[in-house]
């Protein structure tokens, strides 16, 4: 007679755990995910608080030691001429800004690439039309270098970097979510497109004299800082430095002349850069280095030559570092994080 012995299932100390996803919010596996969701706002708030503190110190210095500036009436009269010269291009570029926001909120195939293409076209327009043609006599540095052409090159280079990030390297993917970065991005873009001209109107200035989006480099950098806060982590840092250079250069003189709408430009720039440096950090040394470089740019506020030179050097270094990391990932047989997400 034969007997069949049935073996009991092997007992293990722990059952295999299924991979966790953002949607895994039920049961025991949902508890760690819920804790992660609670920690993310705290992490972002640390970066926001540090950036806000740095901005407060910077603004105190702006008010205590005001820089040389042109009269506000002359500044607005200049924009009166410029707005008349390019009308109705302001409407065209407002429509393009709305299209960029719409493509980010309701993405379709190649939405991020289309956003970057529109961004590059608009930044090139500001560089050529505003700095290269309308304001070509903005100032001369040491009697040799025309600053308007330097700033034209800065905005055109930023346009090329958007093409590199969004179309060539696929570093830039727009995916706004319900988090601190995305909410601040929406607030900044609303400020650039809607609140910026309203502040000017409430100050008693006619609309045709205001530096509105579509021509103004100040409203432009505010909008693009907000847009970059909608970028999926890690956001390419080489896109942040050139707009930050303009924000830190133009804010002191605009505050001194009393152009109220520009008071928040440096605040937006420093908060965006500080928040993204902290949010996307990979090591403590990287965070410290980013903070030191941001502090150095803040220290050069209002100095065109130092600001442009520092921004160009840091942009080249940051882009080279991104390319090197990409090459190392390919050599190791791994796709970069942004390409893995696009291919999945």
């Amino acid at each position: 007679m034969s007997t069949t012995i049935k073996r009991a299932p092997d007992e293990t100390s722990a059952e295999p755990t299924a991979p966790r996803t953002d949607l895994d919010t039920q049961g025991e596996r949902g508890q760690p995910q819920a804790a992660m969701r609670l920690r993310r706002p705290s992490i972002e708030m640390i970066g926001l608080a540090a950036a806000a503190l740095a901005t407060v110190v910077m603004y105190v210095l702006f008010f205590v030691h005001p820089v040389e500036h042109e009269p506000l009436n002359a500044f607005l009269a200049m924009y009166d001429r410029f707005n008349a010269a390019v009308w109705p291009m302001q409407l065209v570029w407002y429509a393009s800004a709305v299209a960029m926001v719409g493509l980010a909120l309701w993405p379709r195939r190649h939405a991020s690439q289309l956003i970057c293409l529109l961004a590059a076209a608009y930044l090139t327009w500001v560089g050529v039309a505003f700095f290269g043609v309308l304001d070509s006599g903005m100032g001369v540095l040491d009697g040799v270098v025309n600053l308007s052409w330097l700033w034209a090159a800065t905005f055109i280079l930023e346009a090329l970097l958007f093409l590199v990030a969004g179309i060539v390297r696929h570093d830039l993917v727009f995916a706004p979510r319900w988090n601190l970065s995305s909410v601040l991005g929406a607030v900044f873009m609303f400020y650039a497109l809607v609140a910026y001209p309203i502040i000017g109107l409430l100050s008693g200035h006619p609309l045709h004299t205001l530096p509105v989006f579509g021509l103004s480099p100040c409203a432009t950098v505010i909008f693009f800082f907000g847009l970059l806060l909608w970028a999926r982590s890690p956001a390419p840092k080489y896109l942040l430095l050139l707009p930050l250079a303009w924000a830190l250069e133009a804010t002191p003189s605009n505050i001194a002349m009393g152009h109220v709408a520009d008071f928040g430009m440096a605040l937006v720039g420093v908060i965006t850069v500080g928040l993204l440096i902290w949010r996307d950090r990979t090591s403590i040394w990287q965070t410290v280095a980013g903070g030191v470089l941001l502090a150095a740019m803040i220290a050069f506020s209002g100095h065109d030559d130092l600001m442009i030179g520092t921004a160009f050097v840091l942009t080249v270094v940051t882009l080279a570092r991104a390319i090197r990391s990409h090459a190392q990932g390919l050599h190791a047989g791994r796709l970069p994080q942004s390409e893995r997400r696009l291919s999945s």
Side-chain angles (χ1 to χ4, degrees):
M1 185 176 71
S2 63
T3 58
T4 302
I5 301 175
K6 295 183 179 180
R7 296 182 59 189
D10 294 335
E11 294 182 358
T12 59
S13 58
E15 293 293 331
T17 304
R20 294 173 182 148
T21 67
D22 287 344
L23 297 179
D24 183 13
T25 57
Q26 303 297 325
E28 295 180 357
R29 292 202 308 270
Q31 294 175 1
Q33 186 65 30
M36 286 289 292
R37 289 183 175 179
L38 289 175
R39 283 199 296 270
R40 284 194 193 109
S42 301
I43 290 171
E44 290 187 333
M45 284 300 295
I46 294 173
L48 176 60
L53 178 61
T55 309
V56 168
V57 174
M58 178 176 58
Y59 273 77
V60 169
L61 295 176
F62 290 166
F63 283 106
V64 172
H65 299 287
V67 301
E68 295 183 4
H69 61 89
E70 63 180 323
L72 180 59
N73 290 337
F75 176 78
L76 297 177
M78 177 187 73
Y79 270 97
D80 189 9
R81 299 191 304 272
F82 291 176
N83 283 328
V86 302
W87 178 261
M89 289 303 296
Q90 295 91 331
L91 298 179
V92 173
W93 294 117
Y94 255 90
S96 72
V98 173
M100 285 185 260
V101 173
L103 285 168
L105 290 176
W106 298 282
R108 297 292 185 269
R109 184 175 177 83
H110 303 305
S112 293
Q113 289 89 335
L114 289 174
I115 293 172
C116 291
L117 189 61
L118 289 171
Y122 174 63
L123 290 166
T124 302
W125 158 261
V126 172
V128 173
F130 182 82
F131 291 106
V133 178
L134 296 173
D135 198 26
S136 57
M138 187 174 86
V140 177
L141 182 64
D142 297 330
V144 178
V145 181
N146 191 331
L147 292 178
S148 62
W149 287 104
L150 282 175
W151 285 116
T154 299
F155 276 76
I156 293 171
L157 177 58
E158 182 71 6
L160 294 175
L161 291 175
F162 262 90
L163 294 178
V164 169
I167 297 176
V168 177
R169 290 179 45 81
H170 301 290
D171 283 345
L172 189 57
V173 177
F174 296 99
R177 304 175 63 185
W178 284 109
N179 56 24
L180 179 61
S181 299
S182 295
V183 171
L184 282 176
V187 170
F188 294 164
M189 286 186 280
F190 178 84
Y191 180 79
L193 297 176
V194 180
Y196 194 93
I198 290 177
I199 292 172
L201 292 173
L202 293 176
S203 301
H205 307 300
L207 182 60
H208 59 85
T209 67
L210 299 178
V212 296
F213 186 88
L215 186 62
S216 165
C218 298
T220 295
V221 299
I222 294 172
F223 175 84
F224 280 103
F225 279 131
L227 188 64
L228 288 171
L229 283 171
W230 280 8
R232 183 180 293 170
S233 178
K237 306 303 181 292
Y238 54 84
L239 291 175
L240 299 171
L241 297 161
L242 298 177
L244 180 64
W246 175 258
L248 294 178
E249 188 282 326
T251 299
S253 59
N254 291 357
I255 286 178
M257 82 169 69
H259 191 250
V260 179
D262 285 335
F263 280 24
M265 181 167 53
L267 175 67
V268 169
V270 174
I271 283 178
T272 300
V273 175
L275 184 58
L276 291 182
I277 287 174
W278 182 258
R279 187 197 70 179
D280 299 343
R281 70 194 187 284
T282 57
S283 68
I284 186 64
W285 295 113
Q286 184 189 65
T287 306
V288 171
V292 170
L293 294 175
L294 177 58
M297 291 191 69
I298 292 174
F300 295 152
S301 299
H303 300 278
D304 296 78
D305 50 346
L306 293 174
M307 189 61 63
I308 294 174
T310 302
F312 269 92
V313 170
L314 292 180
T315 298
V316 171
V317 171
T318 309
L319 179 59
R321 187 176 181 277
I323 294 173
R324 181 183 177 185
S325 299
H326 177 90
Q328 289 175 342
L330 291 179
H331 182 72
R334 300 189 305 271
L335 282 173
Q337 186 177 14
S338 58
E339 293 188 13
R340 289 201 304 270
R341 286 168 174 166
L342 288 173
S343 62
S344 60

